[in-house]
Amino acid sequence: MLARATPSTIAVRVRGLSDRAIAWLFITPTIALLLAINIFPLIWAVYLSFTNFRANRPNAEVEGVGLRNYQRVLNDADIWIAMQTTAHFVFWTILLQTVIGFALAYLIDRKFRGHAFWTTVILIPMMLSPAVVGNFWRFLYQPQIGLFNYIVSFFTGIPPSSFEMLGSVNLAPWAIIIVDTWMWTPYVMLICLAGLRSIPDYIYEAAEVDRASAWRQFWSITVPMALPFIMLAVLFRGIENFKMFDMVMLLTGGGPGSTTEVASITLKREAFESWLTGRSSAFAIVLFVAVFGLANIYVKALNKVKQR
Amino acid sequence: MSSVNTTAHSVVEPTPTVKRIAGAIVILYALITMVPLGWIFLTSIKSPPDSISYPPKIVFTPTLEGYCNLFTTRTRQTPDYIQSLPPPTGTCDEITRGRNMVIAGPSNYWPRFGNSLIIAFGSTFLAVSFGTLAAYGFSRFRVPLADDLLFFILSTRMMPPIAVAIPIYLMYRQFGLSDTALGMILLYTAVNVSLAVWLLKGFIDEIPREYEEAAMIDGYTRLQAFWKVVLPQATTGIAATAIFCLIFAWNEYAFAVLLTSGSAQTAPPFIPTIIGEGGQDWPAVAAGTTIFLVPILVFTIILRKQLLRGITFGAVRK
């Protein structure tokens, strides 16, 4: 844009600030803020991860411990279990949200009467605070008095007090998966809807001329054309659910036992309850590198799909 | 599904039957999804015994007790003492007297709600202001390493909040920013600004450069052209971005619970701590939740059309 300087733009640039000055003036505040509140803490966390610092003893002497924190983190069975729990949540929530979200988007794309209104209604859960909602779902899941158990028992005949969604080792993970799916399916639905709307009508018209069956049209046109969008939704949900914290904290706090203890909860416990600041920093860095690496590999795959 | 024979429709237009079935399934899903929210509201107008009765009560006498309990702190008193008091003033007083309690003072809910408002709106304003400037900078000028900078800005969102919370906690303690509204505003601004830059860059990229060039030929400086030509064109995008920043800051819990404890605490960490006699006071919790959800519901309804762009991070072109 600067390269092709016509006489008029030269005249324009003489008055007021130069473009270069404006560019820096505009970008610097954002970069400065991110450096101060994101990058500086991150670098600090990297530094802490090589020390035995404990935040509840700020005056104790800080010693460098080399890679010992990382060694401990990578050899800690609890942390690997937490990672597995996280992976389990990410897998099931994404699977359910993608299937239900895509199905809903497909139905909404039929443009029935009032579809705009009902789409807005469906969007509401994802606008809410996961913590506040998680707290209330704890009430809905109460075995003696909760609405959820009442409804399940109404349809299945199982006595409501005989199953504790949040207190049972087998059910607690599903209790969280249900709430997460309730809350975030609309998000996947919206992105899928954008994908479906991006498919030009003439492709279906051509398929219609070729007498392709509805089933064939769905698998040969709809799904492949919407795939980049579905993958984008999976990426966003994956990153978010890898960090999942507030909802789990309020629903189960990681329990019963440690069956729902996802990585963020382990991290919180190590950092703010055990005050193992150095070690928890090492864990945080490992987590960040893992998300960052996985996201990068995934984005490469996504770009390949897009280019097809 | 689509029939070639119905001449009134284009070939890809679904038949009325298909539409009706699709509509019925979607409406059923929407209604099921609304049940927990409806239940929150119903619980907020129940009395504490009604809220925990089994089977769950759908028909009950509504009461404002939950809201009264939310807004006040109460102490239990003997009936004799209550008899000796002057007659109750106002509905809340009457309700608490009926349960042998007196109002000891206002609760912490409104201050927490106020903190949420200040922090959410303050950080949204800053994030959108910084974000608009930076997005314009990235969109219109050749910035060295622009792609790397943009990716760096985005990558700051991949870190679990708890992970950066440790050094931020230490840093804030050092600078006296812990448990202050300013500290939370700066933090949420930093978290939101990455989203704001990405979203707004998408919106500003779509405004033709020719508009500014024309304005500059007419004698505007670059800054005037930005202010008077680009900003008005970007209003929708700025509004959509603002709503996303607002939703995040309004709903955030992890940073809030770790970095605030008293004076700067927001509503999300506060609501779960509302305790009545013997555990959580569910009508009061539900009342607090209902009030807390209202602003977001209103925004969702007003800005539903802009949501799509925001959610897809500008990565999806309509």
Side-chain angles (χ1 to χ4, degrees):
Chain A
M1 61 227 83
L2 296 180
R4 198 168 44 85
T6 59
S8 67
T9 52
I10 292 170
V12 165
R13 231 181 307 146
V14 176
R15 282 177 289 104
L17 291 164
S18 73
D19 278 0
R20 179 177 289 263
I22 292 175
W24 286 116
L25 186 71
F26 278 17
I27 293 170
T28 314
T30 297
I31 301 293
L33 186 73
L34 285 172
L35 283 176
I37 298 195
N38 260 315
I39 301 311
F40 176 62
L42 188 62
I43 294 169
W44 197 347
V46 173
Y47 157 74
L48 288 176
S49 72
F50 294 109
T51 69
N52 63 354
F53 179 73
R54 296 169 73 113
N56 61 338
R57 290 186 213 148
N59 297 324
E61 205 160 308
V62 181
E63 273 175 38
V65 294
L67 286 170
R68 210 186 306 151
N69 283 328
Y70 287 92
Q71 219 175 354
R72 286 209 183 132
V73 165
L74 294 174
N75 287 317
D76 188 330
D78 286 353
I79 281 174
W80 283 106
I81 291 170
M83 296 294 257
Q84 275 174 25
T85 310
T86 311
H88 178 254
F89 278 123
V90 170
F91 174 79
W92 281 107
T93 52
I94 286 183
L95 183 70
L96 286 170
Q97 288 164 29
T98 309
V99 171
I100 304 173
F102 184 79
L104 281 173
Y106 187 76
L107 294 172
I108 288 171
D109 201 36
R110 304 301 101 193
K111 297 205 171 70
F112 56 89
R113 256 167 73 119
H115 67 98
F117 172 80
W118 291 106
T119 310
T120 311
V121 172
I122 289 178
L123 290 183
I124 290 172
M126 71 176 221
M127 301 294 149
L128 310 177
S129 165
V132 172
V133 161
N135 180 53
F136 205 83
W137 269 86
R138 202 155 45 85
F139 177 59
L140 298 177
Y141 278 141
Q142 300 281 320
Q144 309 290 343
I145 53 169
L147 184 68
F148 183 86
N149 284 40
Y150 176 75
I151 291 174
V152 171
S153 109
F154 185 85
F155 285 109
T156 62
I158 305 167
S161 51
S162 67
F163 62 104
E164 283 188 52
M165 288 303 286
L166 298 175
S168 125
V169 172
N170 295 324
L171 292 176
W174 289 101
I176 292 168
I177 291 168
I178 289 171
V179 183
D180 197 78
T181 302
W182 171 78
M183 191 152 178
W184 293 111
T185 297
Y187 183 94
V188 179
M189 178 198 87
L190 258 193
I191 298 181
C192 290
L193 197 56
L196 294 175
R197 298 250 162 102
S198 76
I199 305 173
D201 273 355
Y202 67 81
I203 298 187
Y204 288 110
E205 277 156 16
E208 205 66 53
V209 171
D210 290 346
R211 295 178 178 276
S213 68
W215 186 247
R216 182 71 199 277
Q217 285 183 26
F218 179 79
W219 286 108
S220 309
I221 301 173
T222 315
V223 172
M225 297 283 282
L227 192 61
F229 292 81
I230 298 172
M231 286 181 73
L232 197 67
V234 168
L235 174 70
F236 290 159
R237 283 314 309 147
I239 292 179
E240 284 302 312
N241 272 3
F242 202 85
K243 307 191 292 186
M244 177 153 46
F245 174 70
D246 24 22
M247 192 186 278
V248 183
M249 195 65 207
L250 268 300
L251 275 170
T252 64
S258 59
T259 39
T260 60
E261 192 169 303
V262 289
S264 284
I265 303 240
T266 311
L267 191 54
K268 192 226 170 199
R269 207 161 38 82
E270 296 233 316
F272 291 91
E273 284 162 35
S274 310
W275 295 103
L276 297 165
T277 314
R279 213 180 102 162
S280 57
S281 297
F283 183 29
I285 303 296
V286 169
L287 270 183
F288 179 58
V289 171
V291 186
F292 198 76
L294 289 175
N296 263 313
I297 295 168
Y298 187 89
V299 168
K300 291 222 170 74
L302 177 65
N303 284 336
K304 262 190 201 141
V305 171
K306 259 189 189 165
Q307 278 160 14
R308 267 196 331 216
Chain B
M1 79 181 52
S2 44
S3 150
V4 193
N5 301 331
T6 33
T7 44
H9 297 278
S10 106
V11 278
V12 290
E13 177 81 4
T15 61
T17 328
V18 168
K19 283 187 179 191
R20 234 171 274 141
I21 296 169
I25 300 174
V26 171
I27 292 169
L28 183 69
Y29 178 88
L31 293 177
I32 292 173
T33 224
M34 281 298 102
V35 167
L37 292 177
W39 199 247
I40 293 178
F41 176 69
L42 283 184
T43 307
S44 80
I45 53 169
K46 282 179 178 176
S47 66
D50 277 349
S51 75
I52 54 168
S53 70
Y54 192 88
K57 276 196 181 173
I58 301 199
V59 184
F60 58 92
T61 326
T63 161
L64 288 175
E65 200 171 331
Y67 290 87
C68 287
N69 289 353
L70 177 68
F71 298 141
T72 60
T73 57
R74 306 153 309 282
T75 51
R76 188 162 284 287
Q77 301 293 342
T78 59
D80 298 336
Y81 176 75
I82 287 189
Q83 286 289 313
S84 71
L85 292 174
T89 55
T91 328
C92 270
D93 216 3
E94 222 165 275
I95 291 171
T96 35
R97 291 270 181 97
R99 296 195 169 275
N100 282 341
M101 285 187 286
V102 293
I103 292 171
S107 78
N108 279 328
Y109 185 71
W110 284 130
R112 301 300 181 258
F113 192 82
N115 284 339
S116 275
L117 284 176
I118 293 166
I119 291 169
F121 280 91
S123 66
T124 300
F125 176 77
L126 284 181
V128 172
S129 308
F130 285 12
T132 311
L133 294 180
Y136 182 77
F138 280 116
S139 174
R140 291 299 196 263
F141 303 112
R142 190 171 296 161
V143 178
L145 299 173
D147 286 343
D148 293 320
L149 272 179
L150 280 169
F151 188 71
F152 149 77
I153 290 175
L154 186 65
S155 67
T156 57
R157 290 184 80 83
M158 292 185 193
M159 196 79 173
I162 308 291
V164 261
I166 309 159
I168 288 175
Y169 173 82
L170 298 170
M171 185 167 89
Y172 272 23
R173 199 164 63 180
Q174 194 75 41
F175 295 129
L177 281 169
S178 48
D179 205 15
T180 61
L182 178 67
M184 295 313 283
I185 289 175
L186 286 176
L187 179 57
Y188 288 169
T189 307
V191 179
N192 270 333
V193 83
S194 55
L195 174 77
V197 171
W198 273 76
L199 277 180
L200 285 163
K201 185 173 176 294
F203 283 110
I204 292 175
D205 279 346
E206 280 175 16
I207 303 169
R209 271 164 210 284
E210 285 74 26
Y211 289 0
E212 293 141 84
E213 281 166 11
M216 282 156 72
I217 288 165
D218 286 349
Y220 282 28
T221 64
R222 176 66 86 164
L223 282 178
Q224 284 170 330
F226 167 71
W227 187 255
K228 293 193 176 147
V229 180
V230 179
L231 272 192
Q233 295 276 330
T235 320
T236 336
I238 292 173
T241 308
I243 192 71
F244 275 95
C245 296
L246 201 61
I247 288 175
F248 167 81
W250 186 252
N251 289 339
E252 210 283 331
Y253 173 79
F255 284 126
V257 79
L258 295 174
L259 301 175
T260 68
S261 48
S263 56
Q265 198 184 40
T266 52
F270 175 74
I271 291 174
T273 65
I274 300 171
I275 307 283
E277 299 179 354
Q280 289 221 282
D281 183 349
W282 288 110
V285 171
T289 306
T290 306
I291 294 172
F292 182 74
L293 299 183
V294 167
I296 289 303
L297 292 186
V298 172
F299 280 126
T300 309
I301 292 161
I302 296 173
L303 284 148
R304 61 189 179 280
K305 291 203 176 116
Q306 273 80 49
L307 287 174
L308 186 61
R309 280 294 298 273
I311 278 162
T312 51
F313 233 144
V316 172
R317 299 241 176 267
K318 256 186 162 175

